[in-house]
Amino acid sequence: VQLQASGGGLVQPGGSLRLSCVASGSFYSINVMGWYRQAPGNSREYVATITSGGSTNYADSVKGRFTISRDNVKDTVYLQMDNLKPEDTAIYYCYAHVVRYSGWSANVEWGQGTLVTVSS
């Protein structure tokens, strides 16, 4: 199973970006999908999650500005980031709880990360 994240880049404060992360390979199902981020010199921090049923949860720092969504047919999770701030600058990592075979427990898989830089 591989997770491929994309969509990062340089954006001015107040701008928007949309991150995508697609899962590929052989697996039975994906439960939770989500995003973490890691700013330079900081530990990785939670951003948002979404269940297979569409329930969402957000870190307080991004509530009202970021929106997580997913396409279960395409095995893809998205992160729409609006009103970006310089403190949102970080490498954004997607993850997924992947069930490889029916009846098995889920394993956590991580994407390679995509860099978001918010600067004027």
Side-chain angles (χ1 to χ4, degrees):
V1 178
Q2 288 189 328
L3 296 181
Q4 181 69 42
S6 61
L10 173 64
V11 63
Q12 292 186 340
S16 298
L17 279 176
R18 188 192 195 208
L19 306 183
S20 300
C21 176
V22 59
S24 62
S26 178
F27 51 87
Y28 176 72
S29 67
I30 299 177
N31 298 335
V32 175
M33 302 184 81
W35 297 89
Y36 274 69
R37 67 185 181 186
Q38 186 167 16
N42 290 355
S43 57
R44 194 173 292 192
E45 68 169 347
Y46 168 81
V47 175
T49 53
I50 185 168
T51 68
S52 57
S55 296
T56 59
N57 192 58
Y58 298 92
D60 288 342
S61 58
V62 306
K63 271 182 188 174
R65 300 188 299 120
F66 290 10
T67 303
I68 190 170
S69 61
R70 67 189 279 177
D71 185 327
N72 291 330
V73 174
K74 296 181 179 180
D75 296 320
T76 301
V77 62
Y78 305 97
L79 187 67
Q80 177 67 40
M81 305 184 294
D82 299 317
N83 190 21
L84 282 160
K85 304 176 181 180
E87 52 263 41
D88 295 318
T89 295
I91 299 174
Y92 283 71
Y93 297 91
C94 60
Y95 74 97
H97 291 190
V98 179
V99 177
R100 301 250 179 155
Y101 302 99
S102 176
W104 284 37
S105 299
N107 290 330
V108 179
E109 305 288 345
W110 289 91
Q112 85 287 3
T114 184
L115 177 63
V116 173
T117 304
V118 184
S119 175
S120 55

